[in-house]
Amino acid sequence: DTVMTQSPATLSVSPGERATLSCRTSQYVGRKLAWYQQKPGQAPRLLIYDASTRAIGIPARFSGSGSGTEFTLTISGLQSEDYADYCCYQYYNWPPTFGQGTMVDIK
Amino acid sequence: QEHLQESGPGLVKPSETLSLTCTVSGYSIGSGFFWGWIRQPPGKGLEWIGTIYHTGTTNYNPSLRSRLTMSMDTSKNQFSLSLTSVTAADTAMYYCARSEQQLPENWGQGTLVTVSS
C-alpha cells in the first residue's frame, strides 16, 4: 500500500498567520491527492482534490500544491474555525490510503 | 447536496458480523456515483474500506476483501456494509460517503461500532 507521511504531527499557529502542512507519499501518485479537514465529533470535509483544486465552498485561503510524491496544504491567514486536524489522501494507487494527520492548534 | 446517515448496532461481539446501512436523501443512488465506506479506529487514521458503484459493481480494500460484502437497495435508497468475523481491531467510527470514483466527497456523520463481548 502507498504510505502517506504527514509532517509535522502538530503545528501551532497564531491566528492570522500562515500554516504549511506537508504530505509525502511512498509511491508516485501523480496529482491524485486530496486534503480533508476534520474537527472533533464531525465527519471529514473535503478541502482540496487533484492536489490543488478547491472543493465547492472552500475559502480561497486554503491552497494545495505538489505532484508526484510531495504535496503541501497552505492555509493563509488562519481563522478560528481552521483549528482542526488535516489529513491527506491518495487515490492514484490501489487501495486508496490516508495519512495520519496534522493537528493545527492555537499558538 | 445529498445527506447520508449511517445506522446499525453500536456493539458487536467478537467473531460475529458487523452490519451497517447508509440511508441517502436528496439523491437517488441508482442514478450515479460511487457509494463507499471509510472507518477510523479510536485515535488512529482513516482507512478506506470500499465502494459500490450505482450499477452494483464493488471495489474492496484487499486487507478486508475476504470478510467484506457491500450491497445496495435502490428501492430504499440505501447501501450497506457487512463485515464478518470481527475482532477488537474492527472497533472504529464508520463513515459512509458519496464518492467521485474513489474520492469521498460528501460524508455522513459516522457511527461508532465497538467490538466487545
Side-chain angles (χ1 to χ4, degrees), chain A residues 3-31:
Chain A
V3 177
M4 313 289 284
T5 302
Q6 290 189 243
S7 60
T10 302
L11 183 62
S12 297
V13 183
S14 299
E17 295 194 340
R18 173 179 296 182
T20 302
L21 290 68
S22 174
C23 177
R24 177 176 297 176
T25 64
S26 64
Q27 302 174 58
Y28 175 85
V29 300
R31 292 180 59 81

Side-chain angles (χ1 to χ4, degrees), chain B:
Chain B
Q1 63 179 356
E2 69 282 338
H3 178 76
L4 294 87
Q5 180 67 58
E6 304 86 351
S7 60
L11 181 64
V12 181
K13 290 182 168 57
S15 80
E16 295 190 344
T17 297
L18 181 163
S19 297
L20 297 174
T21 296
C22 183
T23 300
V24 180
S25 56
Y27 186 86
S28 175
I29 64 172
S31 297
F33 292 118
F34 290 76
W35 304 91
W37 294 92
I38 303 100
R39 69 181 182 178
Q40 186 170 32
K44 296 186 178 181
L46 293 157
E47 180 183 28
W48 183 88
I49 297 173
T51 56
I52 183 165
Y53 193 42
H54 72 96
T55 58
T57 301
T58 55
N59 295 291
Y60 297 155
N61 192 317
S63 68
L64 298 170
R65 181 179 290 131
S66 64
R67 300 190 291 132
L68 181 62
T69 302
M70 294 178 61
S71 60
M72 60 195 311
D73 185 338
T74 55
S75 67
K76 295 181 179 179
N77 223 35
Q78 296 174 333
F79 60 101
S80 299
L81 170 154
S82 176
L83 187 65
T84 63
S85 305
V86 297
T87 70
D90 295 308
T91 293
M93 183 72 79
Y94 284 76
Y95 297 98
C96 61
R98 189 263 295 159
S99 298
E100 182 63 51
Q101 296 288 326
Q102 306 307 331
L103 175 69
E105 292 184 323
N106 185 25
W107 301 53
Q109 284 299 301
T111 188
L112 179 63
V113 179
T114 301
V115 178
S116 175
S117 55

Side-chain angles (χ1 to χ4, degrees), chain A:
Chain A
D1 295 3
T2 302
V3 177
M4 313 289 284
T5 302
Q6 290 189 243
S7 60
T10 302
L11 183 62
S12 297
V13 183
S14 299
E17 295 194 340
R18 173 179 296 182
T20 302
L21 290 68
S22 174
C23 177
R24 177 176 297 176
T25 64
S26 64
Q27 302 174 58
Y28 175 85
V29 300
R31 292 180 59 81
K32 295 300 184 183
L33 191 287
W35 291 93
Y36 292 90
Q37 177 193 67
Q38 188 173 20
K39 298 180 180 179
Q42 296 185 19
R45 178 173 72 145
L46 178 65
L47 299 175
I48 301 285
Y49 64 95
D50 290 350
S52 61
T53 303
R54 277 189 300 277
I56 295 172
I58 301 303
R61 64 181 181 272
F62 291 92
S63 63
S65 64
S67 66
T69 62
E70 301 275 350
F71 299 87
T72 299
L73 173 70
T74 301
I75 312 170
S76 302
L78 216 71
Q79 299 191 6
S80 58
E81 62 265 32
D82 300 334
Y83 292 99
D85 284 333
Y86 294 84
C87 71
C88 55
Y89 170 77
Q90 70 81 21
Y91 46 106
Y92 182 85
N93 297 314
W94 195 260
T97 48
F98 291 89
Q100 289 298 303
T102 290
M103 176 181 291
V104 177
D105 66 14
I106 300 175
K107 185 174 182 181

